[in-house]
Amino acid sequence: MIRPLQRLAGSATRRTVQSSSLRRLYATGAQTLPKSTSPIVSKLDFFNTVTGNGTTIPTYRVLDGAGQPLEGAELPEIDEAFARRLYEHMQLLPTLDNVLYNIQRQGKISFYYGEEATIIGSAAALENDDEVLGQYREMGVLLWRGFGLDKIMGQCFGNKEDTSGKGRQMPVHFGSPSHHFHTISSPLGTQIPQAAGVGYALRRDPNRRSKSIATCYFGEGAASEGDFHAGMMLASTIPSPTLYIARNNGFAISTPSSEQYYGDGIAARGPGYGIDTIRVDGNDVLAVINAVREARRRCLTQGRAVLVEAMSYRVGHHSTSDDSFAYRPRSEVEDRKRIDNPILRFRYFMESQGWWNAEAEDELKARLKADVMKAFKRSENLKRWELGELFTDVYGGEEPWNITEQRQELAGLLKKYGNAWEPWRKELAKFSDGGESLMKRA
Amino acid sequence: MPSTSPTASIARTRTLLSSWASSRPSSRTTSVQCLTQRRCNSTSVEPPPAGGHLPGVATSQLLKTTRDAALRIPGLKWVDELDSSVLGGRETRKMNTYQAIRDAMAIALAKDNTAVVFGEDVAFGGVFRCTMGLAEEFGRERVFNTPLTEQGIAGFGIGLAAMGQTAIAEIQFADYIFPAFDQLVNEAAKIRYRSGGTFNCGGLTIRTPTMAVGHGGLYHSQSPEAFFMGASGLKVVIPRSPAQAKGLLLGSIRDPNPVIFMEPKILYRSAVEQVPVDDYELPLGKAEILIPGSDVTLLTWGTPVYHCETALHMLNSPSPQIEPFVPASLRGAKVELIDLRSILPWDMETVVESVKRTGRLVIVHEAGMTAGAGGEIAAEVQKRCFLKLKAPVRRVTGWDSLRWACNMRSSIFRTRSGFWMLWSRRWHTRSYAFQPNRTLNTYL
């Protein structure tokens, strides 16, 4: 393997070799091995922690459970308007969650995932044109960037207003180039090495170099995929300004994190890849803002990956296909909601600043619910994209013969059975063109 | 009925041979003689070598030995208008396959500032020399090594391409593309579709050496093209020669879709021909008819193109050792040889048009038979050519087992012998005997 000389030189200065502390050298004159800056020692010493003194990595926090700043904590510079915006977006997520969850229970949309309030803090700490590659609990980033409730609903219903994917993907698989949010896909972890490539592309783009970063979200379960290993390694080895945000909420569906890893969470892995790492209280929005702002700054100045592990607790079920009380006690969830509720904690802080009160709370909740219901009602009655879109966008450029022929085959079937058979007629009526444009081509 | 005893078979063949000579001095005989003269290197009176004079890659007539032939490759599209002040027009240079591939990447890097080349060990020139000097010429920011992770390489390339840049990634051997299967099939192939056309990774090209090399064992020999044949959204391209490699690779790099470009590694050094030095592209999704014919369509791609050429030669001009096994009635067969070039999407029109003319199809590939690309093509052809087929579609492929035993060059042996068995044993039987004018009904 050929390694560039400057990299060797760089690592040598970064990790100072304290040869004076070495009592004996393995061989005279040879203080390190080739391709390594590791000092030679004669004492047999295994280790199993990255902190050096056997403790676990600490969790950074600025507000206590009652919304009061911890001693010595530095709050991010935020004014009342910004704080209100943070709070409103944090409240919007559970409101949306509840509505969509109930819709799902009625069978109106097919699938929905919960959400973590961590997202709003990180979204607020990023620039709006930083590229985001998410897993599927990051709808809050899109809302923060002004994606709008209609498009959220449109995607979940798969109707004509689904600009994320023309109704082709399952609900909550959002995407929008103008909001710099890459379309979500179900396979876990695949976005992690992709984010390294996006980061490298930003570094190579003269208009965005040193201005934008790639940000990649994933859960602690996804971090067990091989793609996590690949992504961390790529973004650090091929220097790419990529911020990795691990949402450690304690569960991957039913699997508790104790069955996901035996080490000190995800943060402990960062130093192994040689990347700056921090663990933050994911239920403390101000701590998340501080941590992500600093992480972003490091990404830009060092041009390499940075890792933030945000610790939280998944209070919702994994998805609507999941009943989490089958594997954890209801009381545990209720306790967490009460003791360590990220929204409540920030509300206490707002109230202590004189920025919030019960009246504002009631008004906000009523307004958000009305907004969400309005978007939902509107979306519910919208038709789907044209049926012909089933066959577009498979390829760019010239369409291959098999796609063309299969479109014609469906068109022929529709012409024959579309009106004659009730189940097909009912289904066709859901498309904005009733399948007309497709049948014309038969 | 087919002869079961070798002696009887030889006797029968001799009879056929003599009857051929006396009763059918037709134009077909002339064409056989022409082919024989064209393909044999020696006209001396000394006895031929034990294996006979066989055209291999080194002496293949399919390679372009002259500038003129290289400039008239079917479907070739020049990318730049020729400056009329340049005297002599387009130039060609003698290159082997890895040099032509290197040339294509140099052009892509020079003309597209967003293009980058990366993979395991590409910075020093690559383990097959395909990226020689590119890092020095274009800098380490554009030609660089990655850590040893195929899923990472594919994912990284998708990320670059999603930002509208040109990513030319290398997987060191096609055998090691499987760790990236998820990224390629679930991600690269589906990004445009799942995002409603708002995102795509069309700028991604994955280059990877493929097929047998003689001593590659299990993991330096594979032909995994059929695994990707069902990944709608991807394109899969396999060139057969240096000029094809350059034109198809430039076409792949600039195609608006992610392309897996599989380079037959045994041809890196062995296939040498004249290659146009200018920037040109060859069309994706288009097959090329290499030798026109009217009796049988022989469809293949990559390295076996040359095995097929050899087999045709053996058929037309068998060496004395095998002569008894080659029925004279087959020797004049006019075989149409087609190089498929693109596996996905494959050129159905050219293949079907050919089979409708010839009524017979033999598909040859190195990969194993079961669920190989040949099966897909055979199914489609029988659907479209049912009334024109005069015999079942045959597949001559690797066995569904350990296909490449070390140091035996067995894939070549396999393909040659398999192809040979096809002529000598299967088609020898009366039911499928070579009779150009028979229709399907005769066999039913």
Side-chain angles (χ1 to χ4, degrees):
Chain A
M1 293 287 169
I2 294 171
R3 297 180 78 188
L5 283 173
Q6 71 269 24
R7 196 190 313 166
L8 277 179
S11 58
T13 49
R14 202 174 59 201
R15 295 166 203 158
T16 317
V17 181
Q18 293 182 321
S19 53
S20 61
S21 69
L22 304 179
R23 285 174 184 272
R24 276 170 57 189
L25 297 176
Y26 182 73
T28 318
Q31 300 192 356
T32 61
L33 298 166
K35 306 290 179 191
S36 166
T37 54
S38 168
I40 305 294
V41 295
S42 57
K43 188 168 165 261
L44 186 65
D45 183 21
F46 288 84
F47 59 94
N48 195 358
T49 171
V50 296
T51 55
N53 56 7
T55 58
T56 52
I57 298 165
T59 303
Y60 171 70
R61 174 188 278 188
V62 298
L63 295 180
D64 67 14
Q68 294 306 306
L70 296 182
E71 199 183 323
E74 235 178 81
L75 297 183
E77 280 184 28
I78 57 169
D79 58 14
E80 182 178 348
F82 189 79
R84 276 175 169 268
R85 191 172 163 222
L86 276 178
Y87 189 69
E88 291 188 5
H89 277 87
M90 285 169 73
Q91 279 286 15
L92 176 57
L93 296 180
T95 313
L96 255 171
D97 218 34
N98 277 334
V99 171
L100 290 172
Y101 187 83
N102 289 327
I103 297 168
Q104 204 280 336
R105 290 278 135 162
Q106 294 164 28
K108 287 190 180 158
I109 62 168
S110 62
F111 199 56
Y112 188 67
Y113 279 98
E115 178 68 40
E116 301 298 329
T118 300
I119 302 304
I120 300 299
S122 55
L126 297 172
E127 290 297 322
N128 281 352
D129 62 351
D130 285 339
E131 300 291 324
V132 169
L133 293 91
Q135 183 166 303
Y136 38 61
R137 291 184 203 276
E138 296 84 13
M139 177 172 65
V141 178
L142 273 173
L143 289 168
W144 181 264
R145 292 180 177 187
F147 187 64
L149 287 175
D150 286 340
K151 285 186 178 173
I152 295 279
M153 288 294 175
Q155 199 282 329
C156 290
F157 280 101
N159 67 28
K160 187 80 199 222
E161 286 188 353
D162 175 18
T163 54
S164 297
K166 298 186 182 173
R168 288 172 183 151
Q169 288 214 85
M170 289 169 77
V172 307
H173 290 55
F174 304 105
S176 170
S178 56
H179 296 90
H180 301 277
F181 193 93
H182 293 243
T183 310
I184 301 296
S185 72
S186 303
L188 280 184
T190 47
Q191 78 278 20
I192 304 175
Q194 290 171 15
V198 170
Y200 195 73
L202 291 171
R203 202 184 95 174
R204 291 215 64 235
D205 183 344
N207 297 318
R208 303 186 70 183
R209 183 179 298 151
S210 307
K211 289 178 195 151
S212 297
I213 64 162
T215 307
C216 178
Y217 292 88
F218 52 90
E220 91 283 355
S224 299
E225 295 284 358
D227 277 326
F228 167 86
H229 173 60
M232 292 288 134
M233 200 166 49
L234 285 163
S236 55
T237 313
I238 306 165
S240 310
T242 311
L243 170 57
Y244 288 105
I245 302 180
R247 296 176 290 94
N248 190 341
N249 65 17
F251 290 96
I253 307 187
S254 74
T255 306
S257 50
S258 60
E259 291 169 25
Q260 202 67 246
Y261 50 75
Y262 187 65
D264 183 7
I266 311 304
R269 301 177 198 171
Y273 297 108
I275 66 185
D276 292 358
T277 302
I278 192 168
R279 175 175 286 158
V280 62
D281 181 349
N283 286 351
D284 179 350
V285 69
L286 297 185
V288 171
I289 288 176
N290 268 349
V292 173
R293 274 186 186 160
E294 172 58 16
R296 184 179 186 280
R297 192 192 67 76
R298 282 169 188 251
C299 272
L300 287 175
T301 53
Q302 301 172 4
R304 279 178 203 278
V306 174
L307 173 63
V308 174
E309 182 183 26
M311 307 302 288
S312 69
Y313 184 85
R314 198 193 75 214
V315 291
H317 301 302
H318 163 72
S319 75
T320 48
S321 312
D322 172 51
D323 173 17
S324 66
F325 300 132
Y327 49 81
R328 62 182 182 182
R330 188 182 287 268
S331 60
E332 180 183 312
V333 177
E334 294 305 320
D335 283 353
R336 293 310 299 184
K337 272 188 184 170
R338 201 174 53 249
I339 300 166
D340 195 13
N341 182 319
I343 296 176
L344 207 55
R345 204 200 288 192
F346 190 53
R347 182 181 160 186
Y348 291 148
F349 171 78
M350 298 259 291
E351 285 174 351
S352 73
Q353 303 292 308
W355 294 344
W356 202 250
N357 54 40
E359 203 181 312
E361 179 80 6
D362 293 342
E363 185 275 327
L364 176 68
K365 279 189 170 167
R367 176 159 56 86
L368 290 180
K369 197 173 175 191
D371 287 351
V372 170
M373 287 312 289
K374 190 177 147 202
F376 157 59
K377 289 235 151 54
R378 187 172 165 282
S379 214
E380 195 181 23
N381 299 317
L382 289 174
K383 300 232 169 168
R384 298 176 188 165
W385 282 76
E386 293 82 6
L387 182 54
E389 294 288 349
L390 188 61
F391 296 98
T392 62
D393 302 322
V394 179
Y395 283 94
E398 197 186 336
E399 185 174 88
W401 58 270
N402 54 320
I403 306 281
T404 310
E405 287 192 359
Q406 288 168 27
R407 177 194 286 114
Q408 283 163 353
E409 189 183 352
L410 176 61
L413 289 168
L414 289 177
K415 275 179 102 167
K416 198 167 171 186
Y417 301 110
N419 283 316
W421 196 39
E422 181 55 20
W424 276 38
R425 191 164 59 206
K426 221 170 113 181
E427 197 62 22
L428 277 177
K430 294 177 184 168
F431 293 89
S432 55
D433 65 342
E436 279 303 316
S437 59
L438 189 71
M439 283 186 271
K440 262 183 221 155
R441 295 177 67 159
Chain B
M1 290 302 293
S3 309
T4 44
S5 115
T7 330
S9 173
I10 292 167
R12 189 165 165 273
T13 311
R14 285 198 177 129
T15 320
L16 278 165
L17 273 169
S18 55
S19 69
W20 171 273
S22 59
S23 69
R24 301 188 65 183
S26 65
S27 61
R28 181 162 294 143
T29 317
T30 321
S31 81
V32 171
Q33 283 167 347
C34 286
L35 270 174
T36 309
Q37 280 163 6
R38 186 162 64 85
R39 292 207 171 116
C40 280
N41 296 327
S42 168
T43 51
S44 79
V45 290
E46 286 172 33
H53 289 292
L54 294 176
V57 177
T59 56
S60 170
Q61 300 291 319
L62 301 173
L63 294 166
K64 316 287 182 195
T65 49
T66 65
R67 168 179 172 273
D68 209 38
L71 294 179
R72 279 191 275 127
I73 295 171
L76 184 149
K77 192 183 93 190
W78 300 109
V79 173
D80 303 313
E81 288 302 312
L82 190 63
D83 182 356
S84 54
S85 66
V86 177
L87 292 174
R90 307 283 183 182
E91 283 311 313
T92 63
R93 195 175 301 143
K94 196 170 162 186
M95 293 184 201
N96 64 25
T97 311
Y98 79 67
Q99 290 162 338
I101 286 164
R102 191 255 178 227
D103 191 35
M105 282 191 280
I107 289 173
L109 285 162
K111 290 195 165 183
D112 173 3
N113 196 40
T114 73
V116 293
V117 169
F118 56 95
E120 294 156 14
D121 305 301
V122 302
F124 87 110
V127 295
F128 287 110
R129 298 287 178 268
C130 291
T131 52
M132 279 290 276
L134 291 179
E136 288 75 15
E137 193 175 338
F138 296 97
R140 286 295 285 260
E141 190 188 287
R142 300 189 64 195
V143 181
F144 52 90
N145 290 338
T146 63
L148 213 158
T149 166
E150 285 77 16
Q151 65 195 110
I153 291 167
F156 189 87
I158 290 169
L160 272 169
M163 298 300 291
Q165 304 197 359
T166 303
I168 307 166
E170 178 180 307
I171 300 293
Q172 205 161 72
F173 287 85
D175 313 64
Y176 307 128
I177 204 166
F178 298 108
F181 200 72
D182 183 38
Q183 286 285 355
L184 294 171
V185 175
N186 269 333
E187 298 289 318
K190 296 177 173 63
I191 286 179
R192 186 190 301 273
Y193 187 74
R194 77 182 183 211
S195 68
T198 60
F199 283 94
N200 73 78
C201 62
L204 173 67
T205 305
I206 304 263
R207 293 177 41 245
T208 185
T210 189
M211 297 191 178
V213 69
H215 51 273
L218 273 73
Y219 304 111
H220 298 81
S221 308
Q222 293 183 46
S223 299
E225 64 268 16
F227 286 106
F228 294 98
M229 202 176 184
S232 214
L234 291 181
K235 291 192 176 183
V236 180
V237 177
I238 305 179
R240 71 162 186 278
S241 73
Q244 296 288 315
K246 179 178 171 183
L248 287 170
L249 181 55
L250 281 167
S252 299
I253 290 169
R254 291 156 180 170
D255 189 88
N257 299 285
V259 181
I260 299 178
F261 190 82
M262 297 182 170
E263 301 158 2
K265 69 179 89 65
I266 202 166
L267 304 180
Y268 274 140
R269 290 164 186 276
S270 62
V272 180
E273 69 180 348
Q274 291 292 325
V275 177
V277 295
D278 288 337
D279 185 353
Y280 68 96
E281 293 173 17
L282 290 171
L284 271 53
K286 292 274 181 285
E288 184 185 350
I289 298 175
L290 300 179
I291 301 173
S294 53
D295 297 328
V296 187
T297 300
L298 182 56
L299 178 67
T300 189
W301 52 88
T303 315
V305 165
Y306 302 98
H307 304 155
C308 288
E309 190 188 17
T310 307
L312 290 179
H313 175 79
M314 288 168 76
L315 177 75
N316 286 318
S317 171
S319 67
Q321 296 98 319
I322 58 165
E323 201 177 307
F325 305 105
V326 186
S329 63
L330 297 187
R331 293 184 197 177
K334 288 177 179 163
V335 180
E336 178 147 301
L337 179 61
I338 300 181
D339 179 3
L340 191 61
R341 299 199 294 192
S342 286
I343 310 303
L344 179 71
W346 63 283
D347 186 352
M348 179 274 293
E349 273 176 36
T350 300
V351 176
V352 163
E353 187 278 324
S354 170
V355 177
K356 279 184 175 165
R357 265 192 290 111
T358 62
R360 297 177 181 84
L361 174 62
V362 178
I363 304 166
V364 182
H365 57 67
E366 276 194 11
M369 187 189 73
T370 303
E376 173 61 31
I377 294 166
E380 199 59 37
V381 166
Q382 71 81 23
K383 185 184 102 184
R384 290 168 190 270
C385 307
F386 188 66
L387 294 175
K388 300 276 188 183
L389 281 172
K390 296 169 189 160
V393 175
R394 288 292 312 229
R395 286 179 281 167
V396 180
T397 70
W399 308 115
D400 289 336
S401 65
L402 195 162
R403 293 162 196 165
W404 297 281
C406 281
N407 306 322
M408 288 286 288
R409 293 194 178 272
S410 60
S411 80
I412 296 173
F413 183 74
R414 159 75 190 100
T415 314
R416 278 183 185 168
S417 62
F419 190 45
W420 182 246
M421 279 164 62
L422 177 82
W423 294 109
S424 62
R425 193 180 65 194
R426 193 74 176 114
W427 284 48
H428 193 171
T429 65
R430 199 165 71 179
S431 54
Y432 304 125
F434 179 69
Q435 293 190 17
N437 297 324
R438 273 207 187 177
T439 63
L440 185 73
N441 290 340
T442 320
Y443 298 94
L444 289 175

